[in-house]
Amino acid sequence: MRMYDLIAKKKKGEELTTEEIRYMIGGFTDGSIPDYQMSAMTMAICFQGMSKRETVDLTLAMRDSGEVLDLSGIKGVKVDKHSTGGVGDKTSLALTPIVAALGVPVAKMSGRGLGHTGGTIDKLECFEGFTTGISDETFVRNVNEIGIAIAGQTANLAPADKKLYALRDVTATVDQMSLIASSIMSKKLASGSDAIVLDVKTGNGAFMKKFEDSVALAEEMVSIGTMAGKKTAAVITDMDQPLGYAVGNSLEVLEAIETLNGNGPEDFKEVVFALGSLMLQLGGKAQDDAEARSMMETVITDGSAKKKFAEFIEAQGGDASPIYDTSLLEIAKTEVPVVADCDGYVHRILAEEIGIACMSLGGGRETKESEIDLSVGIVLKKKKGDVVKTGDTLAVIYGNDSEKIARASELICHAYEIESTPAEKLPVIRKYIFSE
Ligand code: URA
């Protein structure tokens, strides 16, 4: 078999066989197929696409390129949750303790933020001492004893995807549906859970800006998961404005804790409940959505979800005291309001610009090596559909550097689209996708 022939075949729009895909991924992982040939192949895929069968084969080949975690030592139906990435997306922080408090074991791999989107690991590191660098044994023990463990993605988990993603990133071949779906699902399948719930974002701050593209991506991922023998479901959620009010690590942790106290923003709570409901149903703990929602309300009201969050933070070396006294969270002391310069209604808040504003305050990474300031961020005061009068505060910046604050302020002003006509408030949950 020759990679040259496979590139030529795909260029003509023909389907690659299972053996050819396995040969390609094996050779690319061990270095015998060079980057330039693989780049030509990904570009051919961008133009010609891949069939469902090819996409599944690519996913499984990438899954098998490294270690596939064995979580059989964990009792119960392990449910993983994955978000395609957004701004103000602190969902895992509130969601995982809620479902764990209800008996669904959560064995989760999470990532760090890059670019305008945040990452769960950075947020968890707001708790002093917290680490995701735990051994496989501790991971399994914590899930069995507490119900939650969150680890970072190890180098040996789907290494073919790691290499391919880096290549796609510099060859303008990231935004192809089958490549995105196989990339995400190869890692999810390698992390060993029994069921997967996907939060696919749609809108300005998301990977997929168009609703139809987000639906197609979600359908593709649900069908891959199902074909690989995992119970899989997806929710399409709105990212045409940040989720909740807080953007920035410590501020988002604060908002997640408030949600566990029963005082969370409506849109954020709805995303947590929609995903939590699927996790409880796939995990066999609830019969239907109504039952799942009532169970989730109970563990918030009786404090057990919050207690679970503290147990989890402590089990991974963190100081959980900010969960009970949020004044202990380190939040930047300089507060600067961003005010409206016209009357009207908020039509859109460009989430990507808000994410970039947070990054420019020092709260996000431009490169993987960047150090971040966990204390900075933005709290929105107006959201889509709200009435605005000249001089009203649109958002408050929490920063540590006046130049960075000035830059963030400009970006936030630009992010708010205010018009004179009333704005329609779309629901945050746009669609559910289940396997056929
Ligand atoms: N996230 C991934 O892990 N892979 C992609 O291709 C896109 C987003």
Side-chain angles (χ1 to χ4, degrees), residues 375-423:
S375 73
V376 299
I378 298 148
V379 175
L380 307 180
K381 297 292 176 188
K382 298 282 181 188
K383 294 214 40 176
K384 227 156 67 170
D386 285 351
V387 181
V388 168
K389 298 249 171 289
T390 306
D392 280 356
T393 300
L394 297 174
V396 176
I397 298 174
Y398 292 78
N400 286 319
D401 175 310
S402 55
E403 267 177 42
K404 290 179 179 173
I405 291 173
R407 167 92 188 110
S409 181
E410 270 173 40
L411 286 160
I412 295 167
C413 278
H414 184 252
Y416 270 86
E417 293 185 355
I418 299 171
E419 293 175 24
S420 55
T421 50

Side-chain angles (χ1 to χ4, degrees), residues 80-95:
D80 198 356
K81 169 258 169 190
H82 179 83
S83 154
T84 56
V87 179
D89 186 8
K90 69 285 295 174
T91 308
S92 292
L93 302 184
L95 171 65

Side-chain angles (χ1 to χ4, degrees), residues 79-392:
V79 188
D80 198 356
K81 169 258 169 190
H82 179 83
S83 154
T84 56
V87 179
D89 186 8
K90 69 285 295 174
T91 308
S92 292
L93 302 184
L95 171 65
T96 53
I98 290 175
V99 297
L102 289 164
V104 172
V106 180
K108 189 167 162 40
M109 300 288 144
S110 285
R112 292 188 182 278
L114 184 63
H116 73 279
T117 62
T120 301
I121 295 182
D122 296 321
K123 290 167 202 173
L124 289 169
E125 284 177 354
C126 292
F127 296 99
E128 209 175 322
F130 181 90
T131 179
T132 48
I134 52 175
S135 66
D136 289 357
E137 295 73 46
T138 308
F139 185 84
V140 169
R141 195 185 57 236
N142 286 1
V143 183
N144 272 330
E145 288 178 1
I146 301 165
I148 323 181
I150 295 187
Q153 216 116 35
T154 58
N156 199 29
L157 199 102
D161 170 65
K162 207 172 181 152
K163 216 173 156 193
L164 189 59
Y165 190 83
L167 193 66
R168 287 166 55 214
D169 208 19
V170 292
T171 54
T173 54
V174 168
D175 60 349
Q176 202 281 336
M177 193 84 66
S178 296
L179 294 179
I180 297 176
S182 58
S183 165
I184 293 174
M185 292 307 287
S186 64
K187 288 174 286 209
K188 290 289 113 185
L189 296 177
S191 8
S193 287
D194 306 306
I196 303 165
V197 172
L198 301 159
D199 177 4
V200 179
K201 305 284 182 196
T202 192
N204 166 271
F207 236 121
M208 293 288 157
K209 315 271 183 229
K210 288 199 217 135
F211 179 68
E212 311 76 69
D213 291 346
S214 308
V215 171
L217 175 64
E219 284 175 352
E220 187 95 39
M221 292 198 290
V222 168
S223 104
I224 294 171
T226 309
M227 280 189 211
K230 310 280 180 189
K231 294 188 218 173
T232 311
V235 189
I236 312 282
T237 66
D238 180 56
M239 197 30 72
D240 252 341
Q241 65 177 343
L243 184 59
Y245 293 101
V247 179
N249 295 288
S250 292
L251 292 165
E252 291 189 43
V253 169
L254 175 58
E255 191 160 82
I257 295 169
E258 284 306 325
T259 303
L260 293 176
N261 283 334
N263 305 319
E266 216 178 292
D267 62 341
F268 176 56
K269 184 179 169 197
E270 182 50 28
V271 170
V272 169
F273 270 43
L275 294 165
S277 171
L278 290 178
M279 291 174 85
L280 290 167
Q281 291 176 72
L282 294 187
K285 297 289 175 191
Q287 293 301 312
D288 55 30
D289 186 58
E291 188 188 4
R293 282 175 186 262
S294 128
M295 289 162 77
M296 289 187 279
E297 289 290 359
T298 306
V299 290
I300 290 177
T301 311
D302 70 11
S304 49
K306 185 160 128 171
K307 187 159 163 269
K308 186 58 69 185
F309 191 35
E311 279 175 39
F312 152 63
I313 294 295
E314 278 165 3
Q316 293 195 209
D319 172 7
S321 33
I323 295 174
Y324 294 100
D325 177 3
T326 52
S327 70
L328 297 172
L329 283 168
E330 202 190 320
I331 291 172
K333 296 282 175 295
T334 307
E335 290 180 37
V336 177
V338 178
V339 295
D341 58 5
C342 61
D343 294 355
Y345 299 85
V346 179
H347 273 245
R348 222 145 78 111
I349 306 171
L350 302 177
E352 189 165 0
E353 304 266 316
I354 300 286
I356 295 170
C358 181
M359 189 169 79
S360 69
L361 288 168
R365 278 187 193 79
E366 313 234 3
T367 69
K368 283 203 177 105
E369 287 71 37
S370 311
E371 284 273 321
I372 59 172
D373 182 347
L374 297 171
S375 73
V376 299
I378 298 148
V379 175
L380 307 180
K381 297 292 176 188
K382 298 282 181 188
K383 294 214 40 176
K384 227 156 67 170
D386 285 351
V387 181
V388 168
K389 298 249 171 289
T390 306
D392 280 356

